[in-house]
Amino acid sequence: MNAPSTWDLLGFGEFGWGDDIALGVLVTISLALATLPIGLVMGFLLALAKRSEDWALNLAANIYTTIFRGLPELLTLFLVYFGAPHLLNGVLAALGTGPVEVSGFVSGMIALGLVFSAFASEVFLSAFRAIPRGQWEGGMALGLRNSRIMILIILPQLIRIALPGLANLWMNLLKDTALVSVVGLTDILRQTQTAARVAREPFLFFGLACVLYLILTMLSSAGIAGIDRWTKRGGTAR
Amino acid sequence: MAPRRAGIAGILVLGLWALAALGLVIYLVNVWNPALFAKYGPAYLDGLVVTVSLVITSIVSGALVSVPVAFGRMARNRLARGLSFAFVYFFRGTPLLAQIFLFYYGFGEFRGFFETIGLWWFFREAWYCALFSLSLNTAAYQAEILRGAIESVPRGQWEGARALGLPRLVIFWKVILPQALMVALRPYTNEIILMVKASAIVAIITVYDLLGETRRAYGRTFDFQTYIWAAVLYLSIVEVLRNITNVVEKRLTRHQKR
């Protein structure tokens, strides 16, 4: 039997790893997309807590940020992956139900969500500071409730100001998903690693992994540029 | 300003943290094991030394590499601009873990080549590969910091210094760089903190840094407290660095205070 050529290895045929790696791309994208909403909502709530006049809320939110911004992402992942079953099974045993396992995907989602929200809260916080008081006061003068002011006046401006910072965090999130391959999630890096080992072509496959991540980054940049134009569409008239 | 009082929500979430802290302390007291400590304590210290030396070495060598890259990014020459852009884009656009795999496992494929040029001793060792990838990775980030800082100095500074008849090199050293470094101070210290965190990744390619020692200890004992202690150590390093940064920044920018 002839050794399969590079194109056979990358293809979708019998010796090809193309299908496995394509699956890995899907896993990477879905993990990042699944984490994003959690991180954004948590980050926004944390920013609100940091802005509130309640010192206990401030302190609680700051403790959260200090911990999850300071821990290495990989360690956070290990803490969640190995720690969550401990904690969950302790609770479940007290309730009298059987043990559960936390999958790599869910651990990754939780760990990356914790990290993302800690950083996002700071982005939101500085975006809040960039919005002049007059915007709140104007809303109040119109007789709007606080929640309406937030949704109708503040949030649209907030998104515009926070977008570059959040875009950065999205890129970091996309790259950090690679860490979840360490706990067995079959993402891009895991699949290429398997391929590299079996086919004995590490440079080819890890190079491919880098190229795939670069493509994802480029696509994200294009998408973010689109969102940026969308948030600024009201400003063109001025 | 109105006196700040704590509401129900605040007390509730703070109570949750207090509960978590209490739970952690109770857990650590429960699993307290002097034999474990005597066995793995020194290993953790070794790991800490490895982490710190890895970070310092790669920050310094990254800084050296970052200077030509930053000037390449600002050069008029198209080739220099393109090459340095590609360098920065690659290292900032791909995960560090993928880069480390590419250098550590991927370069092994070219063993013959590296043996001929006498560099195989370097790429054979996980430690050197980790150092290599971390240095290049931070070089890409540092180059962008440096470029941003230099470009943040207004044109008028160049023009004013030229009007005084100063040579270009003197202008750069005496006028531009001091102002640029002031801007770059905060991003640079952030980069050091990011490197401390990123260096944990080298544990995957069997470098026994702090996380590497932790993984080894956990693999042998299956005792979860091994990870808790690593978290405590990493958090302390980062917090110490952050506080030093704040003090240094206050001191260096005191002329800007009004």
Side-chain angles (χ1 to χ4, degrees):
Chain A
M1 193 186 74
N2 290 328
S5 75
T6 302
W7 292 115
D8 286 338
L9 284 174
L10 296 182
F12 290 77
E14 192 186 347
F15 303 108
W17 291 92
D19 43 346
D20 304 84
I21 293 172
L23 186 78
V25 174
L26 281 184
V27 171
T28 292
I29 295 175
S30 36
L31 178 60
L33 283 181
T35 311
L36 184 66
I38 309 175
L40 283 177
V41 171
M42 279 295 289
F44 185 72
L45 292 178
L46 282 167
L48 286 183
K50 286 181 193 170
R51 279 176 54 79
S52 95
E53 307 213 317
D54 182 342
W55 64 264
L57 266 182
N58 294 168
L59 183 61
N62 284 329
I63 294 175
Y64 182 97
T65 318
T66 307
I67 293 178
F68 293 112
R69 258 193 341 175
L71 285 180
E73 291 80 357
L74 191 56
L75 182 55
T76 312
L77 179 66
F78 285 150
L79 286 173
V80 172
Y81 185 71
F82 297 117
H86 266 275
L87 207 65
L88 265 181
N89 289 333
V91 175
L92 288 180
L95 295 174
T97 33
V100 290
E101 270 189 39
V102 179
S103 73
F105 192 89
V106 174
S107 320
M109 229 166 89
I110 298 172
L112 296 178
L114 291 171
V115 175
F116 188 97
S117 58
F119 281 95
S121 72
E122 289 295 305
V123 172
F124 280 126
L125 189 64
S126 56
F128 266 123
R129 290 201 183 117
I131 296 176
R133 276 188 79 81
Q135 298 288 328
W136 290 94
E137 291 162 354
M140 262 181 257
L142 291 173
L144 294 175
R145 272 179 287 123
N146 263 335
S147 57
R148 302 302 290 170
I149 300 179
M150 178 63 89
I151 293 170
L152 293 176
I153 303 175
I154 306 299
L155 210 54
Q157 304 185 62
L158 192 75
I159 294 171
R160 190 184 312 163
I161 300 170
L163 191 67
L166 294 178
N168 245 335
L169 293 183
W170 163 256
M171 300 290 188
N172 285 344
L173 173 63
L174 207 54
K175 289 186 283 168
D176 284 345
T177 55
L179 297 178
V180 189
S181 68
V182 176
V183 295
L185 186 74
T186 51
D187 74 332
I188 297 178
L189 199 57
R190 183 79 183 182
Q191 299 292 67
T192 46
Q193 209 179 346
T194 314
R197 202 176 48 240
V198 175
R200 295 174 178 279
E201 292 271 3
F203 193 79
L204 173 71
F205 281 108
F206 289 127
L208 175 68
C210 288
V211 169
L212 288 173
Y213 281 108
L214 278 179
I215 292 175
L216 289 182
T217 321
M218 282 179 211
L219 288 179
S220 306
S221 305
I224 290 160
I227 299 175
D228 191 49
R229 271 196 302 281
W230 175 73
T231 59
K232 283 180 178 150
R233 72 201 183 287
T236 48
R238 259 180 285 153
Chain B
M1 214 172 141
R4 302 198 309 164
R5 295 220 318 269
I8 294 176
I11 293 192
L12 220 64
V13 284
L14 201 56
L16 225 56
W17 272 127
L19 214 65
L22 192 71
L24 192 65
V25 170
I26 291 177
Y27 168 74
L28 286 179
V29 169
N30 259 333
V31 294
W32 172 253
N33 180 351
L36 189 83
F37 240 75
K39 188 156 179 214
Y40 292 106
Y44 270 54
L45 282 185
D46 289 346
L48 198 64
V49 171
V50 170
T51 291
V52 169
S53 50
L54 192 60
V55 168
I56 293 177
T57 325
S58 47
I59 287 278
V60 171
S61 46
L64 293 178
V65 178
S66 79
V67 174
V69 176
F71 283 99
R73 290 274 278 142
M74 294 184 290
R76 287 214 192 91
N77 185 331
R78 256 214 194 141
L79 184 69
R81 242 183 10 228
L83 282 178
S84 49
F85 176 76
F87 177 87
V88 170
Y89 203 89
F90 174 77
F91 282 101
R92 299 207 318 168
T94 54
L96 178 61
L97 188 56
Q99 294 161 18
I100 290 182
F101 282 169
L102 185 67
F103 296 136
Y104 183 51
Y105 297 116
F107 279 7
E109 224 175 285
F110 308 114
R111 180 171 174 179
F113 169 72
F114 284 117
E115 271 173 347
T116 354
I117 59 169
L119 278 178
W120 180 239
W121 60 272
F122 187 88
F123 289 105
R124 191 183 53 194
E125 294 286 328
W127 159 262
Y128 286 120
C129 279
L131 196 63
F132 184 72
S133 348
L134 280 177
S135 303
L136 291 185
N137 188 274
T138 185
Y141 283 92
Q142 288 188 39
E144 287 301 277
I145 295 172
L146 191 60
R147 181 177 71 96
I150 291 174
E151 286 180 348
S152 78
V153 179
R155 285 182 70 84
Q157 297 289 327
W158 281 100
E159 290 163 0
R162 210 170 312 151
L164 292 174
L166 295 175
R168 273 183 74 86
L169 212 61
V170 176
I171 299 179
F172 184 75
W173 274 111
K174 296 279 178 186
V175 182
I176 306 300
L177 203 59
Q179 300 183 66
L181 286 184
M182 209 70 81
V183 176
L185 184 67
R186 171 71 37 170
Y188 264 129
T189 47
N190 265 342
E191 180 60 21
I192 297 176
I193 292 179
L194 287 178
M195 281 301 284
V196 171
K197 294 170 54 186
S199 71
I201 289 178
V202 303
I204 310 277
I205 56 163
T206 65
V207 173
Y208 288 103
D209 71 330
L210 183 49
L211 191 63
E213 291 291 356
T214 309
R215 269 160 62 94
R216 179 148 67 178
Y218 183 75
R220 286 183 187 161
T221 59
F222 290 103
D223 193 340
F224 187 64
Q225 65 169 312
T226 48
Y227 278 114
I228 304 276
W229 289 116
V232 170
L233 284 172
Y234 271 112
L235 268 188
S236 334
I237 304 177
V238 169
E239 280 308 294
V240 166
L241 277 176
R242 225 162 53 100
N243 285 308
I244 293 176
T245 306
N246 287 341
V247 171
V248 169
E249 189 179 56
K250 252 193 203 132
R251 170 108 189 124
L252 284 181
T253 57
R254 65 195 189 283
H255 62 281
Q256 289 170 343
K257 293 265 153 47
R258 262 162 294 173

